[in-house]
């Protein structure tokens, strides 16, 4: 399914005109201006359900995703580098739709995934601390020689009786929530993607391979391919992971090339580097 068929960024002339108009203004950065023109990134055509923006650090792939998400008003979970001139840059852009973008569409960045994992960790740490407090409370109550002298002691009486009737694990489980997640960072990251990506949506993914093991990356590849093929999703992905680059029927823009061009995944320098490394050590496997 294709929702966004084309996205057009400012031309070099547009950028030069804008920067000339503000040259008397004090500023320390004009980001996101002057990033994409370095690679002649002006028009992206989305003919397939999966499009990949490939490039190293500074190639502009993350900038392109953030600009598209802003222009299309896609939902996001965390803040990003939105400078004073970001809105001006977006105003020069145009997105052309094949069909209406579903409301559940969103951009998912590394910051979203990291924040999610930190939140889970924080919740679990709070639950763990509560468990420690209840453990101490249990033994204090069970071993105490408490005697009720007035109604003010009623709450303590309840604790003592509960502790004496139950095992430690029963006492704690009844008063403390189970941990939110019992997963590794990689498993949590993978679950974040599978929970956020629904049927029939446009999804912009910024380096989704971060925090994922090679095995999990391949699982995510299968999930994305199935979502695109069977469940009406369109994906625009910024990555340099060979596993994601290998996705079937994906159109790949090489932003490291000048000018930018469409490439096969096996032609990309990052992939060739992996291939040559393993080919060199092939006899050791």
């Amino acid at each position: 399914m294709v929702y966004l068929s084309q996205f057009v960024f400012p031309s070099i002339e547009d950028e030069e005109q804008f920067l000339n108009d503000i040259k008397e203004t004090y500023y320390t950065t004009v980001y996101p201006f002057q990033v994409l023109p370095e690679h002649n990134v002006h028009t992206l055509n989305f003919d397939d359900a999966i499009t990949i923006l490939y490039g190293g650090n500074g190639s502009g792939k993350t900038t392109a995703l953030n600009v598209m998400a802003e222009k299309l008003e896609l939902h996001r979970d965390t803040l990003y580098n939105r400078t004073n001139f970001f809105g001006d840059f977006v105003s020069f852009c145009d997105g052309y739709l094949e069909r209406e973008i579903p409301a559940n569409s969103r951009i998912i960045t590394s910051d979203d995934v990291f924040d999610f994992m930190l939140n889970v960790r924080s919740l679990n740490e709070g639950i763990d601390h509560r468990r420690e407090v209840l453990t101490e409370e249990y033994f204090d109550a069970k071993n105490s020689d408490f005697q009720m002298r007035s109604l003010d002691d009623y709450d303590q009486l309840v604790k003592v009786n509960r502790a004496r009737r139950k095992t430690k694990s029963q006492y704690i489980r009844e008063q403390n929530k189970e941990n939110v997640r019992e997963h590794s960072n990689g498993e949590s990251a993978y679950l974040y993607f599978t929970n956020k990506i629904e049927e029939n949506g446009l999804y912009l993914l910024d380096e989704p391979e971060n925090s994922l093991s090679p095995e999990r990356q391949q699982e995510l590849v299968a999930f994305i391919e199935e979502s695109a093929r069977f469940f009406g999703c369109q994906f625009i992905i910024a990555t340099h992971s060979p596993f994601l680059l290998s996705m079937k029927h994906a159109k790949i823009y090489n932003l490291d090339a000048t000018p930018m061009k469409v490439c096969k995944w096996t032609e990309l320098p990052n992939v060739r580097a992996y291939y040559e490394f393993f080919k060199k050590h092939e006899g050791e496997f």
Side-chain angles (χ1 to χ4, degrees):
M1 183 70 72
V2 173
Y3 301 98
L4 178 65
S5 59
Q6 185 181 78
F7 198 90
V8 180
F9 298 95
S11 65
I12 294 176
E13 292 74 22
D14 288 335
E15 289 210 14
E16 288 177 347
Q17 181 61 55
F18 177 80
L19 295 176
N20 185 61
D21 291 341
I22 64 167
K23 65 182 179 181
E24 301 300 329
T25 306
Y26 174 77
Y27 55 86
T28 57
T29 178
V30 293
Y31 179 84
F33 288 94
Q34 297 183 323
V35 174
L36 298 175
E38 290 186 14
H39 303 273
N40 289 348
V41 179
H42 177 57
T43 302
L44 297 177
N45 293 306
F46 306 107
D47 312 308
D48 304 289
I50 301 175
T51 304
I52 296 177
L53 307 182
Y54 164 87
N57 294 333
S59 63
K61 60 186 187 296
T62 296
T63 297
L65 285 188
N66 280 326
V67 168
M68 286 189 282
E70 182 80 6
K71 186 70 177 183
L72 301 172
E73 299 181 347
L74 300 185
H75 181 73
R76 65 167 67 235
D77 286 345
T78 57
L79 300 176
Y80 63 104
N81 185 19
R82 196 183 191 286
T83 62
N84 292 334
F85 296 112
F86 204 93
D88 296 304
F89 186 89
V90 170
S91 68
F92 285 104
C93 299
D94 285 301
Y96 298 92
L97 304 181
E98 190 76 17
R99 50 182 54 83
E100 184 178 356
I101 296 176
N104 55 288
S105 300
R106 63 169 51 236
I107 179 173
I108 301 176
T109 69
S110 297
D111 287 342
D112 296 335
V113 179
F114 291 151
D115 282 356
F116 170 73
M117 291 190 296
L118 288 173
N119 288 339
V120 168
R121 186 179 302 170
S122 177
L123 287 171
N124 283 339
E125 287 174 353
I127 293 170
D128 289 341
H129 176 69
R130 172 66 173 160
R131 185 180 292 115
E132 292 174 2
V133 171
L134 287 171
T135 298
E136 184 176 346
E137 179 183 287
Y138 170 80
F139 284 115
D140 286 345
K142 190 177 183 68
N143 299 324
S144 72
D145 54 358
F146 170 79
Q147 291 183 352
M148 185 173 176
R149 294 183 173 83
S150 70
L151 286 177
D152 292 337
D153 299 328
Y154 179 74
D155 289 341
Q156 182 63 23
L157 175 66
V158 171
K159 289 181 182 180
V160 169
N161 287 337
R162 184 186 294 127
R164 290 173 177 171
R165 290 196 309 268
K166 299 182 182 297
T167 65
K168 184 188 74 171
S169 60
Q170 290 174 328
Y171 183 88
I172 294 172
R173 278 203 307 271
E174 287 183 359
Q175 300 181 77
N176 198 27
K177 297 178 181 178
E178 292 294 329
N179 281 43
V180 180
R181 285 285 186 271
E182 296 294 346
H183 304 297
S184 67
N185 284 348
E187 290 171 322
S188 295
Y190 177 77
L191 288 172
Y192 182 84
F193 284 106
T194 57
N195 287 335
K196 293 293 184 179
I197 296 172
E198 303 174 8
E199 295 183 21
N200 304 312
L202 169 63
Y203 296 99
L204 278 56
L205 311 182
D206 184 25
E207 298 189 356
E209 67 270 20
N210 289 344
S211 298
L212 296 179
S213 68
E215 292 80 8
R216 284 296 186 187
Q217 289 184 49
Q218 292 176 75
E219 289 180 27
L220 183 61
V221 165
F223 176 78
I224 290 173
E225 289 176 338
E226 291 176 2
S227 297
R229 183 178 180 184
F230 300 113
F231 299 107
C233 293
Q234 180 183 4
F235 294 91
I236 303 171
I237 305 169
T239 185
H240 42 68
S241 163
F243 299 105
L244 274 78
L245 290 165
S246 70
M247 281 192 285
K248 298 175 182 177
H249 311 300
K251 181 177 184 178
I252 302 174
Y253 282 105
N254 182 2
L255 273 64
D256 278 346
T258 304
M260 173 192 71
K261 62 180 180 179
V262 176
C263 292
K264 295 180 180 179
W265 76 284
T266 52
E267 299 172 339
L268 299 169
N270 195 51
V271 174
R272 296 297 303 180
Y274 278 103
Y275 172 77
E276 291 167 6
F277 174 82
F278 287 111
K279 194 70 175 175
K280 178 180 178 181
H281 298 279
E282 185 176 10
E284 299 179 35
F285 286 88

